[in-house]
Amino acid sequence: MKAKPRAEIASRWRNFERFFTLSLATTATEREAVYRFRYRMFCEKLGFVETHSLIDRCETDDFDEHSVHCYVTHRASGRIAGCVRLVTVSASTDMP
């Protein structure tokens, strides 16, 4: 597979930045917004997680406290458009 030229990659990033911002969820408020987004996606839209056990409408698990959470915000609406987490592990923690 041929590598894309740097100019093309830079152009795509500038286009992305016109519509979205990329952020780390470093505060409790930001992490809660990510958990609420995950609830809407994984519970309500995709049905991956049962909602009856999540009365706070936040989808969380034991790995969240050992994770770096990132999210994408749609500039025009101010709403979260996507999220991802990097689960960190040590000798005492397992992967999800």
Side-chain angles (χ1 to χ4, degrees):
M1 181 184 308
K2 186 176 177 182
K4 299 208 181 294
R6 286 181 186 235
E8 183 180 344
I9 294 169
S11 174
R12 287 184 182 188
W13 178 252
R14 282 190 302 274
N15 195 40
F16 174 87
E17 282 192 311
R18 283 182 36 216
F19 300 101
F20 302 99
T21 58
L22 180 61
S23 305
L24 288 176
T26 58
T27 67
T29 301
E30 291 169 329
R31 285 188 299 275
E32 182 178 333
V34 168
Y35 302 152
R36 289 186 182 284
F37 177 81
R38 285 176 18 190
Y39 178 90
R40 285 192 310 275
M41 293 300 111
F42 297 131
C43 300
E44 292 179 346
K45 291 195 181 240
L46 300 173
F48 288 160
V49 180
E50 291 294 326
T51 59
H52 66 276
S53 63
L54 303 173
I55 58 173
D56 61 356
R57 299 179 62 86
C58 290
E59 195 283 314
T60 61
D61 61 34
D62 294 339
F63 298 101
D64 286 322
E65 66 185 70
H66 305 288
S67 299
V68 176
H69 298 273
C70 302
Y71 62 99
V72 174
T73 305
H74 182 246
R75 287 184 184 272
S77 68
R79 296 182 64 186
I80 293 178
C83 65
V84 66
R85 69 177 171 175
L86 174 65
V87 178
T88 61
V89 295
S90 66
S92 63
T93 58
D94 294 326
M95 290 293 290

